[in-house]
Amino acid sequence: MPAPTDSSADLQKVAVVTLGCARNEVDSEELAARLAAGGWQLVDDPEAADAVLVNTCGFVEVAKKDSIDTILSVADVKGAGGPTAVVAVGCLAERYGRELAESLPEADAVLGFDDYPDIADRLRRIVAGEAHVPHAPTDRRRLLPVTPVERPGATGPVPGHGALATETDDAPGWRPPVLRHRLDGSPVAPVKLASGCDRRCTFCAIPSFRGSFVSRLPEDIIAEVGWLAGEGVREVVLVSENSTSYGKDLGDLRLLEQLLPRLGEETPISRIRVAYLQPAEVRPDLLSVIAATPVVAPYYDLSFQHASPTVLRRMRRFGGAEAFLGLIERIRELDPTAGIRSNVIVGFPGETEAEFAELVAFLEEARLDAIGVFGYSDEEGTEAVALDGKLSESLIHERVEEVTALADEVMAQRAEDRMGERVHVLIESLEYDDDEWALALGRAGHQGPDDAGTTVRLGAASVAVGDIVAARIVDVEGVDLVAQIDDAPR
C-alpha cells in the first residue's frame, strides 16, 4: 500500500492509545498502518491529535473500567486545541457496541472489528462531524472460521514508512497479512499466530467477541518477523488465545513445530518466545523443538488456571496436578534452566477447602518461575455465572492473599536458585540518576515480558537498548535478578 504523498503539515493527526494484552498491541499497529496509508499523521500525544483511538480491553471488569476511564480522560481534553474526536475500538467496543455508545456519550464513536479495514476514512468522517451508527454486538462463537486457501504469489516486506505491506488478492477465503506500523522503539514486539479461540472455558467470554480460532499462514508470519527484525526488533513474542492450536484449521496441528525452526533459519531475528500454551494440548515434539531450536527462548507459558481436576472440569478444562507436574518434569529434563510461568484462578464457584489445598500443594511442588494470581469474579455472558457454589468475596480475597504470598515466596526461591547461572539478557531500557547512567534493565531468555526482570550492572558506554549481553547472575532482589556482564554485547 503506497504511502501518502501529502506534506505532514497538511495531514490530520491521530494518536492511538493501547490497553490490554499483546494481541491488542498488534491490532493497534495494524490500525496505525492503515491510518498512515490512508493519509493520517501518527502522533504520540493525544492532546496534539485531531482524533484519538482508544484500543480497549473487554476481558475482565478491571480492564473494562480502565478502558472506560481512559476514554473519559482523553475526552476531558477535547476542544481548546485538543482532539476533535475520541473513538473507542478494540474488544470492549466490539463486545458491547451500541450499548457502550449509549452509556458513554463522551466517545464520539464506537467502532467494531469490521470497521478496521476502512478506519482511515471512517475516522475522517467522524472528525468532520458525521454521526456513526454503532454495531449491534454479534456472538462470534457462532461464526465459522475462515480457512485460507494457498495464496498465489509470494509475500514479503515492503521497505519504507514503517508499515508491512504485501500483495493482495481476491481469491475466495484468502486473507491478506496484517499491515503494521510500529508505535514504539522497543526491541521486543508481539506477533499474532492466530485470532480467536475454539475452547469454551466456562469463565471466559473471549470467543464471544473474538470469534473462532483462525491461524495465520506461516509465510505471512515469517514475512512479518523478518520485517520487524529489519525495524530493529531483536525478540518477537508469538501470541494467540491458544498457541498449541496453531495450524489445526490449516490441516496440520503440528505446524508450530515446523514454523519455529523456519523463523530461525529464514529471518534474522535474535530471539523468539512462544506465549499462551494450553497444558492439555502440549505435545512432546513441541517441547523438543522449543528446547532444541537455538533462536527460541527457554520459556514455557503454560495456562494451568488451577490444579484440582474437579475444579478444572467445572472450568471445562483438562488435566490436574499430577499431569501438570509430569509436564513440568519433562520440560526441566530437556532444559533444567527453562523458565515456566502460569496463571491461576482462586475461588472458582464450588472451590472446596480440599480443592484449594490441591492448588496450594501443586504450587509448592511445581516451583514455577512466574505466577499470576487472580480471584474469580462473574464475567457477563459466561457459563460460570450460572454455576452453583459461589464463594463470598471475603473468602475469595482471603484465598487470593494466601496464594499470592505463596507465589511471591516460590518465585523468590526460584530466583535464588539461579545464583551463578549464565544468561543472555536483552537490554530493554537504561535508567539514569541525575543525568548519569545507573542501571541497564532487561530480560533473560527464561523471563517473559510480564515477568520479573533482570538488572545488569555495567558501564554506561558498554551497552545500548537492543543489545543482547551474556551475563552471570550474582545477586537477587526479591524476584528480580542482578547480573554482571561476561562478554561484549551482540
Side-chain angles (χ1 to χ4, degrees):
M1 186 177 294
T5 57
D6 307 81
S7 166
S8 61
D10 300 327
L11 300 180
Q12 288 180 298
K13 298 178 176 64
V14 58
V16 181
V17 178
T18 306
L19 304 166
C21 66
R23 295 177 293 283
N24 260 18
E25 293 179 35
V26 180
D27 286 349
S28 286
E29 294 193 350
E30 173 194 353
L31 289 166
R34 294 184 185 280
L35 288 164
W40 286 84
Q41 180 185 354
L42 293 156
V43 297
D44 295 328
D45 184 4
E47 294 191 40
D50 298 294
V52 180
L53 284 187
V54 180
N55 191 355
T56 61
C57 179
F59 181 39
V60 293
E61 288 304 320
V62 172
K64 295 177 197 173
K65 183 180 184 302
D66 189 28
S67 295
I68 291 172
D69 288 347
T70 301
I71 293 169
L72 294 175
S73 175
V74 175
D76 283 343
V77 300
K78 280 200 301 184
T84 301
V86 178
V87 177
V89 296
C91 292
L92 189 69
E94 175 67 30
R95 186 174 181 183
Y96 293 103
R98 188 176 302 158
E99 180 184 344
L100 179 65
E102 292 171 352
S103 63
L104 196 66
E106 291 83 357
D108 295 277
V110 173
L111 305 182
F113 297 151
D114 291 341
D115 293 304
Y116 285 14
D118 301 317
I119 190 67
D121 185 54
R122 298 281 172 93
L123 191 59
R124 190 171 289 110
R125 297 202 303 266
I126 292 165
V127 170
E130 181 177 315
H132 176 81
V133 179
H135 67 285
T138 300
D139 188 341
R140 292 180 178 266
R141 287 176 295 189
R142 301 192 184 100
L143 302 181
L144 294 175
V146 178
T147 302
V149 298
E150 183 177 353
R151 91 163 181 251
T155 181
V158 174
H161 307 289
L164 176 67
T166 59
E167 299 177 46
T168 59
D169 192 272
D170 294 327
W174 176 76
R175 298 157 298 141
V178 176
L179 296 168
R180 189 155 185 174
H181 180 111
R182 296 228 67 206
L183 292 173
D184 62 42
S186 170
V188 182
V191 171
K192 278 188 181 180
L193 281 174
S195 297
C197 186
D198 288 338
R199 299 192 67 87
R200 296 296 177 262
C201 301
T202 56
F203 57 82
C204 183
I206 287 176
S208 68
F209 54 87
R210 277 290 183 180
S212 299
F213 189 90
V214 181
S215 301
R216 294 181 64 200
L217 296 174
E219 290 76 12
D220 294 341
I221 296 170
I222 292 169
E224 185 171 347
V225 170
W227 176 81
L228 285 167
E231 293 289 305
V233 171
R234 302 299 304 276
E235 175 183 311
V236 295
V237 184
L238 301 179
V239 299
S240 71
E241 304 299 342
N242 177 11
S243 295
T244 42
S245 286
Y246 177 68
K248 70 175 185 179
D249 54 322
L250 298 176
D252 189 350
L253 189 53
R254 287 170 171 73
L255 204 56
L256 185 56
E257 288 93 309
Q258 302 167 35
L259 175 65
L260 294 176
R262 288 188 62 189
L263 286 170
E265 296 163 1
E266 299 178 32
T267 77
I269 201 69
S270 299
R271 191 156 76 187
I272 301 164
R273 191 178 303 277
V274 185
Y276 309 113
L277 300 174
Q278 167 59 250
E281 297 179 4
V282 172
R283 303 169 293 276
D285 285 351
L286 178 58
L287 297 181
S288 298
V289 167
I290 292 175
T293 306
V295 75
V296 179
Y299 177 77
Y300 300 80
D301 181 11
L302 301 168
S303 178
F304 290 130
Q305 302 300 349
H306 210 279
S308 165
T310 48
V311 172
L312 289 165
R313 298 302 178 272
R314 292 199 296 276
M315 291 179 170
R316 198 173 289 152
R317 297 174 70 85
F318 302 95
E322 183 178 354
F324 295 162
L325 289 170
L327 175 58
I328 292 168
E329 182 180 1
R330 289 195 296 276
I331 290 170
R332 288 175 175 156
E333 286 174 351
L334 289 167
D335 184 353
T337 66
I340 304 175
R341 82 166 303 277
S342 190
N343 294 327
V344 295
I345 297 174
V346 178
F348 193 75
E351 183 186 65
T352 65
E353 288 284 353
E355 291 168 335
F356 177 67
E358 286 183 88
L359 174 61
V360 170
F362 166 73
L363 293 176
E364 290 174 339
E365 188 170 355
R367 297 170 57 251
L368 303 176
D369 294 86
I371 307 166
V373 182
F374 299 90
Y376 171 81
S377 62
D378 282 342
E379 181 63 24
E380 183 182 358
T382 64
E383 292 184 41
V385 171
L387 291 178
D388 295 331
K390 296 289 176 61
L391 278 64
S392 67
E393 289 187 13
S394 61
L395 181 56
I396 292 174
H397 179 71
E398 178 184 319
R399 291 183 177 181
V400 167
E401 286 194 327
E402 180 179 343
V403 174
T404 299
L406 171 62
D408 290 342
E409 180 181 348
V410 168
M411 291 187 292
Q413 290 173 351
R414 285 293 293 162
E416 290 182 4
D417 290 344
R418 293 188 183 275
M419 284 287 292
E421 189 174 301
R422 194 168 186 269
V423 293
H424 286 89
V425 180
L426 171 60
I427 304 299
E428 297 185 35
S429 65
L430 300 176
E431 288 194 355
Y432 296 84
D433 184 15
D434 296 330
D435 296 326
E436 293 186 4
W437 181 86
L439 297 172
L441 304 177
R443 288 175 300 107
H446 71 274
Q447 298 169 310
D450 299 322
D451 303 341
T454 300
T455 300
V456 181
R457 291 178 174 163
L458 65 171
S462 302
V463 296
V465 171
D467 284 343
I468 296 178
V469 299
R472 193 170 301 279
I473 307 300
V474 297
D475 199 1
V476 295
E477 296 177 351
V479 297
D480 290 325
L481 304 174
V482 178
Q484 183 69 45
I485 192 168
D486 274 355
D487 301 320
R490 58 181 173 89

